[in-house]
């Protein structure tokens, strides 16, 4: 299926009623967005009773730059909500996708973008090995399309740390492998500290020995993710 023209979405629904729906956002350094490796996670979430929608989005390889990728993820949140109505929507992003998930989850909803679904804010955000501080990365120009010196305000707006104090009611789960060879663990530690200071409920998990592309594999993350959804995201609704 397509959630927007040219942008695919793979929907996995549980056999019974879903208790939550997860939107899965792949990484790719803002120059690609191949969801293939994350599809098994969606299948396994559905087997656990949680609906999953795995997407792709525009990026530098398609001449798509901030804020359009965030707007597309935000529209995908609304699409995911339509697949499993009346349950919480959790946005899960890996690597660069974690940045987009954080931005789409924390920035205020925009009404000036075209999306064919009822607007829906994320109820929770999960970041897997995100390079959150774009000022410290070498991939920022692929997100913004311009060097930081040429448009510092856009770089500031597209930095997840800028929004760490927004929507404090949104809980976050941050996962980062201790053996990540691409994105240092310090990125997640910095984001966790900023979110905590901003008033968010933050849970961090550092799987021992996990590399960058391990943390979206079910063997490494499924148990922690499902437990967090049940204990943190769903628990308030059950009180």
């Amino acid at each position: 299926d397509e959630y927007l023209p040219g942008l695919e979405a793979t929907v996995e629904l549980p056999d019974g009623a879903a208790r939550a729906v997860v939107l899965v956002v792949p990484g790719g350094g803002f120059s690609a967005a191949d969801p293939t490796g994350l599809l098994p996670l969606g299948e396994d979430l559905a087997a656990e009773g949680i609906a999953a929608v795995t997407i792709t989005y525009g990026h530098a390889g398609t001449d798509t730059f901030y804020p359009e990728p965030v707007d597309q993820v935000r529209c995908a949140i609304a699409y995911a909500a339509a697949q499993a109505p009346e349950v919480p929507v959790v946005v899960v992003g890996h690597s660069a996708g974690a940045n987009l998930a954080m931005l789409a989850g924390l920035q205020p909803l925009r009404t000036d973008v075209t999306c064919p679904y009822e607007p829906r804010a994320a109820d929770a955000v999960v970041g897997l090995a995100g390079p959150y501080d774009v000022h410290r990365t070498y991939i920022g120009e692929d997100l913004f399309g311009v060097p930081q010196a040429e448009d510092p305000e856009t770089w500031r707006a597209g930095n997840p740390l800028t929004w760490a104090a927004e929507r404090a009611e949104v809980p976050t789960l941050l996962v980062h492998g201790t053996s990540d060879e691409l994105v240092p663990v310090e990125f997640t530690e910095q984001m966790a500290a900023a979110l905590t200071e901003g008033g968010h409920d933050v849970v961090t998990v550092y799987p021992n020995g996990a590399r960058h592309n391990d943390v979206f594999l079910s063997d490494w993350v499924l148990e922690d993710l499902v437990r967090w959804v049940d204990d943190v995201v769903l628990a308030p609704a059950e009180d």
Side-chain angles (χ1 to χ4, degrees):
D1 294 336
E2 293 184 343
Y3 70 95
L4 284 172
L7 297 176
E8 294 184 355
T10 300
V11 179
E12 298 284 352
L13 298 176
D15 290 336
R19 62 186 186 277
V21 57
V22 167
L23 176 68
V24 184
V25 184
F30 303 122
S31 62
D34 184 357
T36 304
L38 289 93
L39 292 175
L41 177 61
E43 295 171 358
D44 292 338
L45 284 166
E48 294 285 341
I50 298 173
V53 178
T54 306
I55 63 164
T56 187
Y57 51 84
H59 46 78
T62 60
D63 290 323
T64 307
F65 303 102
Y66 182 88
E68 283 81 6
V70 180
D71 292 337
Q72 291 165 357
V73 172
R74 188 175 288 112
C75 187
I77 292 171
Y79 174 81
Q83 309 312 304
E86 300 181 2
V87 298
V89 181
V90 181
V91 189
V92 178
H94 172 250
S95 194
N99 283 37
L100 299 179
M102 201 66 66
L103 292 167
L106 299 183
Q107 288 178 340
L109 281 174
R110 289 177 55 187
T111 59
D112 59 340
V113 296
T114 300
C115 180
Y117 316 104
E118 184 72 23
R120 179 69 150 81
D123 296 294
V125 178
V126 179
L128 310 176
Y132 301 105
D133 188 356
V134 292
H135 299 100
R136 297 171 54 208
T137 73
Y138 60 87
I139 58 175
E141 286 191 29
D142 284 326
L143 175 60
F144 301 111
V146 295
Q148 180 179 346
E150 292 186 15
D151 195 347
E153 178 53 31
T154 295
W155 276 64
R156 188 199 70 81
N159 190 336
L161 289 169
T162 300
W163 305 94
E166 298 296 320
R167 301 200 67 219
E169 71 276 12
V170 175
T172 60
L173 169 66
L174 302 180
V175 182
H176 209 125
T178 62
S179 296
D180 195 315
E181 72 283 10
L182 294 180
V183 178
V185 173
E186 287 78 10
F187 279 90
T188 286
E189 293 173 338
Q190 179 189 28
M191 191 72 221
L195 288 166
T196 299
E197 184 177 352
H200 292 266
D201 180 329
V202 182
V203 174
T204 54
V205 178
Y206 299 100
N208 188 37
R211 298 166 297 176
H212 189 68
N213 288 333
D214 289 335
V215 292
F216 61 74
L217 301 177
S218 293
D219 286 349
W220 289 96
V221 75
L222 181 65
E223 183 178 349
D224 287 319
L225 177 55
V226 172
R227 182 188 304 115
W228 179 79
V229 169
D230 287 337
D231 293 350
V232 175
V233 180
L234 293 174
E238 296 172 354
D239 290 343

XYZ file of all heavy atoms in Angstrom, residues 39 104 135 183 189 217 223 229 233:
70
model
N 11.039 -4.974 8.409
C 9.760 -5.653 8.223
C 9.558 -6.822 9.189
O 8.440 -7.008 9.706
C 9.619 -6.121 6.776
C 9.483 -5.007 5.734
C 9.474 -5.597 4.333
C 8.225 -4.177 5.969
N 8.838 14.241 14.599
C 7.405 14.103 14.317
C 6.603 13.913 15.597
O 5.450 14.334 15.683
C 7.173 12.930 13.371
N 23.986 18.653 14.712
C 25.168 19.503 14.597
C 26.460 18.710 14.767
O 27.527 19.165 14.353
C 25.109 20.625 15.643
C 23.924 21.524 15.491
N 22.801 21.392 16.283
C 23.666 22.539 14.641
C 21.906 22.314 15.923
N 22.406 23.013 14.933
N 27.165 5.096 15.252
C 26.661 6.225 16.042
C 27.057 6.002 17.492
O 26.607 5.033 18.115
C 25.129 6.356 15.917
C 24.627 7.512 16.778
C 24.715 6.558 14.465
N 22.674 9.141 25.157
C 22.805 9.654 26.518
C 22.456 11.137 26.569
O 21.767 11.594 27.502
C 24.228 9.415 27.020
C 24.565 7.939 27.199
C 26.030 7.689 27.527
O 26.869 8.569 27.208
O 26.338 6.625 28.066
N 16.510 -5.490 15.329
C 16.204 -6.907 15.177
C 15.431 -7.397 16.406
O 15.734 -7.039 17.541
C 17.487 -7.717 15.008
C 18.366 -7.327 13.818
C 19.633 -8.168 13.811
C 17.604 -7.483 12.500
N 11.409 -7.784 23.005
C 10.948 -7.982 24.384
C 10.889 -6.668 25.143
O 9.897 -6.373 25.821
C 11.871 -8.968 25.107
C 11.432 -9.299 26.523
C 12.325 -10.318 27.198
O 13.172 -10.929 26.512
O 12.179 -10.507 28.428
N 5.755 -0.802 25.956
C 4.424 -0.414 25.486
C 3.375 -0.796 26.518
O 2.487 0.001 26.864
C 4.107 -1.056 24.123
C 2.625 -0.883 23.756
C 4.983 -0.438 23.034
N 3.194 2.852 28.073
C 2.259 3.503 27.163
C 0.815 3.141 27.490
O -0.064 4.013 27.524
C 2.579 3.137 25.702
C 1.597 3.818 24.746
C 4.008 3.518 25.348
